[in-house]
Amino acid sequence: MTLEEKQREFNVAMQLYTTRTGYKLFGSFISVANVFLQAWLLWRVLPISVGILGQVIAITAAWLIADFVNGLVHLYMDNNDRYDSFYGPLVANFHLHHKTPRYQPKNLALVYFVESGSKVWLVPCLFCLALAAEFGAVSPLLLHILVYAGILSSLAEVSHYLCHTSMSPIALRLGNLGILLSKKRHAVHHMQDNMSYAFLNGLTDPLINLIAARSSRGYKQNTDLHYAMYCTEAESR
Ligand SMILES: [Zn+2]
Ligand SMILES: [Zn+2]
């Protein structure tokens, strides 16, 4: 398929995304499902004691797992060009984070909710975890790790938002400490190719970069070219 044909497919997919309310409703449904399951799992896990050391281990492991897993999903999505599939409009819309990386300033709770709507893969993961928790199929420590990782997967979206949008000293400090994503670390993803996909704090980027180098041809000469003929609403005003 030629680049022009791919660009046409991209524009058709975005036309569907912007005109069919089903896609926006689907995003809202995913947001509600993710936030509901996260809240339910947290309520379920908090009374289970793992001790102070267990909590430290769980939070540290969850932070690294969420950074890594969400980075891998980002790597997969940045290379996905199935615009003609039923989920193609969602894929096309995802790629616009490279075209217009600045977000509209929003309340952080709203960012958490809205951006959770792009995490379709997280819903079945949380649902299976909820079933496992209900049937006692997971050890208390592993349950804590996975529940925290599930919540941090949505927090990663807030971290990415702050990285692009905020000059708050607290956000900058958390970024520089490696707790959240630093502007310097994340700039590599937008300025270079096939690099730095992680976006909770970027600590697992060295590993994801190795996987990307072996599995992906990058986005600069690939999916980033597909939106070249697309005009966002802001650009067409
Ligand atoms: Zn990206
Ligand atoms: Zn970004």
Side-chain angles (χ1 to χ4, degrees), residues 1-10 83 221-229:
M1 185 175 272
T2 65
L3 176 60
E4 289 72 23
E5 285 168 329
K6 261 302 176 209
Q7 288 171 337
R8 269 197 293 277
E9 267 193 357
F10 182 94
Y83 311 123
Q221 296 305 315
N222 181 19
T223 47
D224 279 9
L225 301 178
H226 300 161
Y227 54 66
M229 303 305 287

Side-chain angles (χ1 to χ4, degrees), residues 188-208:
V188 176
H189 179 67
H190 290 286
M191 295 173 77
Q192 297 181 28
D193 191 14
N194 208 20
M195 295 285 286
S196 302
Y197 289 93
F199 60 100
L200 175 58
N201 58 5
L203 287 186
T204 60
D205 265 334
L207 183 54
I208 299 173

Side-chain angles (χ1 to χ4, degrees), residues 2 12 24 30 49-50 69 71 79 82 89 91 95 102 118 122 137 176 190 194 199 204 210 224 237:
T2 65
V12 169
K24 303 262 167 54
I30 296 297
S49 173
V50 286
V69 171
N79 287 277
R82 295 292 311 278
V91 174
H95 290 323
R102 271 195 76 81
S118 64
L122 188 57
N176 291 336
H190 290 286
N194 208 20
F199 60 100
T204 60
L210 281 176
D224 279 9
R237 264 180 226 138

Side-chain angles (χ1 to χ4, degrees), residues 74 78 94 97-98 189-190 197 219:
H74 183 183
D78 273 2
F94 183 88
H97 83 278
H98 284 192
H189 179 67
H190 290 286
Y197 289 93
Y219 36 83

Side-chain angles (χ1 to χ4, degrees), residues 36 39 89 173 198 203:
F36 172 79
R173 185 95 180 114
L203 287 186

Side-chain angles (χ1 to χ4, degrees), residues 61 63 88 123 131 145 198 202 217 226:
W63 221 283
V123 176
L131 284 180
I145 292 171
R217 59 193 180 107
H226 300 161

Side-chain angles (χ1 to χ4, degrees), residues 4 26 75 98 140 156 165 173 180-183 187 203 216 231:
E4 289 72 23
F26 180 68
L75 163 64
H98 284 192
T165 313
R173 185 95 180 114
L180 294 181
L181 190 60
S182 81
K183 288 179 189 293
L203 287 186
S216 156
C231 220

